[in-house]
Amino acid sequence: MFELIMLIGALIISLIIVIKSADVFVDNLVEIGAALGISQIILGVTASAIGTSLPEFGSAMIASLSGSTDIGVGVVIGSNIWNIAGILGITATFAGVIKTDARDLKRDGLVTLGTGLILVFFMFFGDIGRIASVFMILLYAVYLWRLIKDQNKYDVEEKIKQEKLEEFDSENEFKSKTKTSRMSSIDKKKLALVGLGLAGLIVGCRILVYSGVELARIAGIPEMIMGLFTLAIGTSIPELVVTFSSAMKGLHELSLGTVLGSNTFNILIGIGVPALFMSIPVEPLSLSFDAPFMIFVTILLIGLIKAGGNKLNRTGGLVLLATYITYAVLRLYVLA
């Protein structure tokens, strides 16, 4: 009984640490990114997505290295389903609408869908090993390269806008003044807080995985189920907070970008990096149901946004929530 209370307490405390650390990390990272002139959508799919995905990545990495590979895969797949159907469903329902740009949806939405299909493809061959791992990591590097190219286009567009307001003697002078202005606005304190937030995430994730695995064993819950729901939702709380608050503030591209970027990062890095160190076994039900359902909700999200005129409205949010509830019921009570 004492052990159970201690584990529950550790789980709650670790979740609080993860939430607070992610909040500190993302808030300061977003401010730094904004000071550097990074577009909102790219900031969402990179800085915000990676920052809020660190709990999942930390959980998957630590679980894999400690031998609990099933829970590592479960956290990633379950988290991706929750990110789209749960987080975007809740956000759109309460915020009323999440707007996006057709070009950004095509790029980031298709990348998210493509990475899910790639994961399913490798799962068909059994354990996810080093070959799949290298491919996933290289693919993420290509995706980042594409984002850098798009950021350069954004910089050019911003330059044209700026030149309409101010006249500069030459392009070099413009770049010099802009760079100086951006760098001077970055506070060293914010950089320190980013590091502090990252450290908190690492510690929080370690406690979270340990207490979660032990509670699952005591309760007789399969590790895959624990990963798919309790840990997946728990470690996705940073995404929920950032996505919800961004949408409520009207930062729609940051809101949607955080989820799409997070799902891409979860698969290509969250599974790709741990697979470098040891093969990750594929559970039959995960291949036949969980992963395909992840593909389904991704296609559903893209379809709902396109049907809403590049907007995810409240009705779409309710559809996503109903979809997640259906998934949870099927997974826990029908297929378990």
Side-chain angles (χ1 to χ4, degrees):
M1 186 65 180
F2 178 74
E3 181 185 6
L4 183 63
I5 294 174
M6 288 293 291
L7 287 171
I8 293 174
L11 186 67
I12 295 173
I13 292 173
S14 64
L15 282 174
I16 294 173
I17 293 173
V18 167
I19 294 169
K20 186 60 180 176
S21 297
D23 191 37
V24 171
F25 179 85
V26 172
D27 282 351
N28 289 279
L29 195 62
V30 165
E31 288 189 34
I32 292 173
L36 291 172
I38 300 175
S39 65
Q40 190 181 128
I41 184 65
I42 291 180
L43 190 64
V45 297
T46 54
S48 183
I50 293 173
T52 55
S53 293
L54 286 176
E56 290 102 311
F57 174 67
S59 297
M61 189 68 183
I62 293 169
S64 296
L65 293 177
S66 61
S68 301
T69 49
D70 283 349
I71 204 169
V73 175
V75 166
V76 171
I77 295 176
S79 177
N80 280 14
I81 295 173
W82 166 251
N83 282 352
I84 291 178
I87 291 178
L88 287 180
I90 292 172
T91 301
T93 299
F94 286 93
V97 65
I98 301 176
K99 302 175 184 178
T100 187
D101 182 84
R103 181 181 61 182
D104 295 329
L105 176 64
K106 181 179 180 181
R107 181 194 64 204
D108 302 315
L110 291 180
V111 167
T112 301
L113 176 60
T115 54
L117 291 171
I118 288 170
L119 175 62
V120 174
F121 171 78
F122 282 119
M123 289 172 72
F124 271 114
F125 295 93
D127 295 357
I128 298 176
R130 209 161 266 138
I131 294 177
S133 170
V134 171
F135 181 83
M136 289 179 177
I137 294 171
L138 288 176
L139 186 60
Y140 192 72
V142 171
Y143 178 51
L144 289 180
W145 172 76
R146 172 66 187 278
L147 291 176
I148 291 172
K149 286 185 65 178
D150 287 351
Q151 177 61 38
N152 290 336
K153 292 180 182 178
Y154 175 81
D155 286 339
V156 171
E157 293 172 0
E158 288 298 302
K159 174 187 171 182
I160 293 173
K161 292 178 183 178
Q162 185 71 17
E163 285 178 337
K164 290 180 180 180
L165 301 175
E166 298 181 41
E167 292 185 1
F168 291 93
D169 294 334
S170 67
E171 183 178 341
N172 289 334
E173 184 180 353
F174 170 80
K175 290 182 177 179
S176 177
K177 289 185 178 182
T178 304
K179 184 177 181 180
T180 301
S181 175
R182 289 175 179 175
M183 293 306 294
S184 63
S185 61
I186 298 177
D187 190 348
K188 290 182 179 180
K189 181 180 178 181
K190 296 186 186 302
L191 291 172
L193 287 173
V194 167
L196 182 64
L198 179 60
L201 283 168
I202 294 173
V203 173
C205 284
R206 183 65 187 94
I207 301 173
L208 186 68
V209 171
Y210 174 78
S211 55
V213 169
E214 290 302 312
L215 283 171
R217 288 174 180 168
I218 291 175
I221 300 173
E223 288 189 358
M224 192 65 175
I225 296 295
M226 193 69 176
L228 279 167
F229 293 100
T230 307
L231 289 180
I233 294 175
T235 56
S236 292
I237 289 178
E239 281 101 324
L240 174 60
V241 174
V242 173
T243 301
F244 186 82
S245 62
S246 297
M248 295 301 289
K249 294 175 182 178
L251 303 173
H252 300 290
E253 291 183 336
L254 179 62
S255 180
L256 185 62
T258 297
V259 169
L260 294 179
S262 176
N263 279 20
T264 299
F265 180 87
N266 285 347
I267 292 176
L268 298 183
I269 301 300
I271 292 179
V273 173
L276 271 177
F277 301 93
M278 64 184 302
S279 295
I280 301 179
V282 175
E283 186 188 63
L285 190 56
S286 177
L287 173 60
S288 63
F289 183 70
D290 298 321
F293 200 91
M294 178 180 66
I295 302 298
F296 169 72
V297 294
T298 305
I299 295 174
L300 178 62
L301 171 66
I302 296 173
L304 288 171
I305 292 176
K306 287 188 173 182
N310 294 322
K311 298 176 183 177
L312 179 63
N313 53 36
R314 183 170 281 115
T315 300
L318 290 171
V319 170
L320 289 175
L321 278 177
T323 301
Y324 187 78
I325 292 172
T326 301
Y327 166 73
V329 171
L330 288 173
R331 192 61 171 84
L332 290 173
Y333 299 104
V334 179
L335 300 174

